[in-house]
Amino acid sequence: MKKIKTLSSIALLSAATLVLSACGNKAENTDDSKKASKFPSEMPKKEAKQGGTVKYAIETNSPFTGIFASELAFSKTDIDLASPGNEKLFDIDDDYRINNKGTAVLKIDKEKKTVTIIIKKGVKWSDGKQVTAKDLEFPYEILANKATKSQRYTSQLEYIKGMKAYHEGKAKTISGLEMPDGENGRTLTIHYTELKPGMYNSGNGYFTEGAEPYHYLKDVPFSKFESSDKIRKKPMFFGPYKLEKLVRGQSVTWIPNKYYWRGKPKLDKVVCQVVSTNSASQSIKSHKFDVANVINDQWKQVKDAKGTTFIANIPLSYRYIGFRVGKWDAKTGKNVMDPKSKMNNKALRQAIAYAMNIEDVNKKYNSGLTFQIPTLILAQYGDYFDKDVKGFSYNLKKANQILDKAGYKKKGKWRVQPNGKPLKITFLVQQGNDTQEPIYQNYLQQWHKIGLNINLYNGRLIEFNSYADKVQHDAPGIDMFTGGWSLTSISSEPSPAYLYSEGAPFNFARFVTPENTKLLNAIDSQKAFNHKYRVEQFHKWQKYMFDQAYVIPTTNEYTITAVNDKLTGYSVKPSDSNALWFIANKSSGSA
């Protein structure tokens, strides 16, 4: 993969020509993206002092669920809350490629078809016990045992020998997981039926990048795992901090792990606290928090905040709109498409995409800091990104033409299905900050202009935890939905199989086609060890997904973080992510 600059800008598509009629005002046409592109990606290096407390804002409008096990966590909120303690096995470079500077060493043997993970001596849990081979093996049992109901078990893991048999209850152990020095050793060797080209990158989905304390959790039944106090209230990690206090749904307080392998952390405490998105800007201006992400539609309110340094990057993340065309079959562990689904007509999906005035929305509400993306592979992935796919630019005329040609005729105000039956479409949208409602009311109005009777699920935006439950479990009555992925929390390796394959629980649209499966298999095939070939397959997949429009990529954004000037070491560079809470400290002379 070509070298990726952390702050390299992504070209914006041409702006829509019409204004946001749903809001009654002309779009302001502001664009602060050039300013954001010049922000540094890390705080200035200063001499750090011993002690102090850092307050970290977790911006959400819902109480956090507090699932502090990587194998079960679903929301980015829980992942962020656990970050001071939950260090991954591997450090990475700024291209998300695994190196051996972290807690473990990775060895890949193409001839033997093995991946070997060796935990470093002195890497200890917060109770002082050395992390062992069994702690490396245990996450695979958590993922694969059906009693845990993990959303993170995918067909990618079934390239590990014996994994499928264990998952189906046909074996008591996973035969492909070998501990050559015994459970109390420090080495886990994983035997595969075949290796994959993405295995050199973090988030590849073929092996886990965490460990779980077997000695601490072994007495917890898998069926009780997610609800256990040892997961929800008293989790154990080997990162720089250990959990001291938890206020359910509100805050988590961390204190130093005296056994941390890199050395003693300098901070006395890290306090992660939930703050509503509508209160975020005031919290930044009043210095209630030392670290807080800027809500892009609140940028103008905070950009002149005193005693604050703004750092920024373009993260591996994106938002999308998905169309429900099937369901998840828990028995087979596969997505099953329904050819009779009302949304299983690509003309309908394409028309919905062309009717969205995304660029106008971005300019009016987000100062250009949020921008439209054309494909489901991000530009940060270098030549894997297909720059020739232009995406769905705003074009009401084209949307109407597509619907007319496909037989969606108007009867009165609304169009009907090609078979003449009424067409009513229900849209699930999660709650957000103050602009979420007008933004999606605007899109509803755009769709109404082309005669599509699309309305919000239950007539309103849905609280996040309820939204997540409905999306994960295929709640009836939902035809389309909003979605979004923080890929560094899910899968930072560019292969889309983890999210869009037949065996991916995260494929919430539930689409499965022979062509999609063929293209995904090609991306991760043995031939794909040849970089040029893999690039070609990525480009084919992007063109296919653009044409089929089962999932419409909408936006990514500059993530701007407001950091107290008294903080040193805080960074949004990928290469700093694993050791972030060890290197983030108060500078000398600060209060």
Side-chain angles (χ1 to χ4, degrees):
M1 186 164 57
K2 292 180 179 178
K3 182 69 178 175
I4 303 165
K5 293 183 179 179
T6 304
L7 287 176
S8 62
S9 60
I10 295 179
L12 304 181
L13 300 180
S14 59
T17 56
L18 299 181
V19 299
L20 291 180
S21 56
C23 304
N25 297 317
K26 186 176 181 179
E28 297 176 15
N29 292 322
T30 58
D31 189 347
D32 284 314
S33 60
K34 290 183 179 179
K35 180 183 292 185
S37 70
K38 295 178 181 179
F39 285 146
S41 58
E42 59 186 330
M43 291 295 288
K45 295 291 194 298
K46 301 177 184 178
E47 184 180 351
K49 72 169 188 176
Q50 188 69 42
T53 296
V54 166
K55 295 183 178 180
Y56 176 36
I58 305 292
E59 290 148 349
T60 177
N61 294 321
S62 302
F64 63 81
T65 53
I67 302 174
F68 298 129
S70 299
E71 300 77 22
L72 303 176
F74 175 77
S75 78
K76 186 176 183 297
T77 298
D78 285 350
I79 293 168
D80 288 344
L81 283 161
S83 61
N86 192 19
E87 187 167 307
K88 292 183 178 181
L89 293 176
F90 307 112
D91 283 11
I92 58 175
D93 62 22
D94 286 333
D95 290 336
Y96 301 91
R97 195 172 178 89
I98 292 171
N99 59 45
N100 291 330
K101 296 178 182 179
T103 62
V105 172
L106 178 71
K107 296 181 178 180
I108 297 176
D109 190 321
K110 291 176 66 175
E111 290 186 7
K112 294 181 179 179
K113 299 179 183 178
T114 60
V115 169
T116 298
I117 300 170
I118 306 169
I119 198 78
K120 293 177 180 177
K121 189 175 181 179
V123 176
K124 297 179 179 180
W125 298 105
S126 57
D127 63 356
K129 292 186 181 295
Q130 167 73 39
V131 179
T132 68
K134 183 62 181 179
D135 300 331
L136 299 177
E137 185 266 355
F138 193 39
Y140 295 90
E141 295 182 23
I142 298 169
L143 285 164
N145 194 297
K146 286 191 175 182
T148 66
K149 299 179 180 178
S150 174
Q151 288 283 314
R152 290 179 177 265
Y153 181 86
T154 74
S155 55
Q156 287 172 285
L157 290 171
E158 292 181 354
Y159 285 98
I160 298 172
K161 291 182 177 180
M163 179 65 79
K164 186 175 182 180
Y166 178 83
H167 180 62
E168 294 176 349
K170 297 177 181 179
K172 292 184 178 180
T173 60
I174 303 167
S175 62
L177 300 181
E178 177 192 2
M179 292 171 274
D181 301 322
E183 292 187 358
N184 293 321
R186 294 184 287 111
T187 301
L188 175 70
T189 297
I190 309 171
H191 297 264
Y192 290 86
T193 55
E194 63 178 81
L195 297 189
K196 297 294 183 177
M199 286 179 169
Y200 296 93
N201 274 55
S202 175
N204 59 70
Y206 295 102
F207 53 83
T208 71
E209 296 177 44
E212 293 292 351
Y214 180 73
H215 69 281
Y216 183 61
L217 297 172
K218 63 183 179 181
D219 295 329
V220 180
F222 283 125
S223 61
K224 304 291 184 183
F225 218 79
E226 185 177 304
S227 60
S228 169
D229 283 354
K230 290 184 177 182
I231 297 296
R232 295 291 189 114
K233 294 181 179 180
K234 300 176 181 178
M236 186 180 292
F237 301 110
F238 56 75
Y241 293 90
K242 66 177 183 178
L243 194 148
E244 179 193 45
K245 180 183 178 182
L246 184 147
V247 180
R248 180 61 66 89
Q250 298 180 40
S251 66
V252 181
T253 300
W254 301 86
I255 58 175
N257 169 14
K258 66 180 180 180
Y259 302 106
Y260 183 55
W261 72 282
R262 296 186 203 259
K264 182 182 179 180
K266 290 186 179 296
L267 294 171
D268 291 332
K269 289 185 179 180
V270 177
V271 180
C272 304
Q273 184 175 329
V274 166
V275 59
S276 74
T277 55
N278 296 329
S279 302
S281 62
Q282 185 57 42
S283 297
I284 291 171
K285 290 190 292 184
S286 65
H287 288 284
K288 183 177 180 180
F289 298 99
D290 296 295
V291 180
N293 287 333
V294 176
I295 307 296
N296 281 350
D297 62 26
Q298 298 174 15
W299 167 242
K300 288 182 171 59
Q301 302 171 40
V302 303
K303 64 180 181 179
D304 296 322
K306 305 297 182 184
T308 300
T309 296
F310 294 105
I311 62 177
N313 73 340
I314 299 174
L316 284 182
S317 64
Y318 63 87
R319 296 184 181 91
Y320 68 89
I321 288 178
F323 300 98
R324 179 66 54 75
V325 292
K327 64 179 182 179
W328 173 257
D329 187 334
K331 290 183 179 180
T332 62
K334 294 181 179 181
N335 294 290
V336 180
M337 194 151 79
D338 177 8
K340 296 182 179 179
S341 165
K342 75 174 74 169
M343 306 310 296
N344 206 353
N345 186 313
K346 77 174 184 180
L348 177 59
R349 301 189 298 266
Q350 289 175 344
I352 288 172
Y354 279 117
M356 296 179 69
N357 52 346
I358 295 172
E359 283 300 333
D360 261 347
V361 166
N362 293 336
K363 288 186 177 182
K364 180 173 180 64
Y365 290 108
N366 300 305
S367 303
L369 297 172
T370 300
F371 49 86
Q372 186 168 5
I373 57 173
T375 89
L376 294 168
I377 300 299
L378 298 173
Q380 295 97 305
Y381 284 129
D383 51 1
Y384 289 140
F385 167 70
D386 187 352
K387 63 181 183 296
D388 293 330
V389 177
K390 301 304 180 184
F392 293 98
S393 56
Y394 179 56
N395 192 329
L396 281 184
K397 181 179 179 180
K398 188 170 186 176
N400 275 311
Q401 289 175 341
I402 290 172
L403 291 172
D404 291 341
K405 186 177 180 180
Y408 289 92
K409 298 178 180 179
K410 274 193 175 182
K411 285 191 176 180
K413 182 178 180 180
W414 305 118
R415 293 180 183 269
V416 297
Q417 299 181 61
N419 60 12
K421 294 182 179 179
L423 177 62
K424 292 184 179 181
I425 299 171
T426 301
F427 185 30
L428 180 72
V429 182
Q430 69 185 78
Q431 290 177 349
N433 49 313
D434 282 345
T435 61
Q436 188 87 332
E437 180 81 34
I439 284 174
Y440 282 98
Q441 288 295 340
N442 159 75
Y443 289 141
L444 290 174
Q445 190 173 49
Q446 296 302 120
W447 294 324
H448 292 172
K449 286 179 181 178
I450 59 174
L452 293 179
N453 188 7
I454 303 177
N455 295 288
L456 294 176
Y457 179 85
N458 286 344
R460 57 187 174 81
L461 274 59
I462 303 298
E463 183 271 334
F464 174 77
N465 292 324
S466 176
Y467 153 88
D469 180 71
K470 294 181 188 306
V471 170
Q472 289 180 76
H473 298 105
D474 299 337
I478 296 171
D479 301 309
M480 52 189 285
F481 58 93
T482 56
W485 295 119
S486 171
L487 297 179
T488 50
S489 303
I490 301 295
S491 177
S492 50
E493 207 283 318
S495 171
Y498 195 73
L499 298 175
Y500 299 114
S501 67
E502 181 181 30
F506 288 154
N507 178 2
F508 294 134
R510 310 306 184 198
F511 73 94
V512 181
T513 67
E515 183 64 16
N516 183 57
T517 299
K518 176 184 175 182
L519 290 170
L520 291 179
N521 288 342
I523 285 171
D524 292 329
S525 67
Q526 298 302 293
K527 286 184 178 181
F529 278 101
N530 179 298
H531 181 73
K532 181 180 178 182
Y533 175 85
R534 197 174 196 222
V535 167
E536 291 173 352
Q537 304 313 307
F538 266 98
H539 288 194
K540 288 179 182 178
W541 185 78
Q542 288 167 81
K543 290 181 173 69
Y544 173 75
M545 290 298 287
F546 169 67
D547 174 68
Q548 294 296 310
Y550 287 111
V551 175
I552 299 170
T554 54
T555 60
N556 196 0
E557 62 189 2
Y558 282 91
T559 294
I560 302 175
T561 304
V563 185
N564 189 326
D565 283 345
K566 297 174 182 178
L567 204 60
T568 183
Y570 195 86
S571 170
V572 291
K573 292 171 60 179
S575 56
D576 288 333
S577 60
N578 207 30
L580 176 62
W581 287 110
F582 178 67
I583 62 178
N585 299 290
K586 289 291 183 74
S587 60
S588 296
S590 62

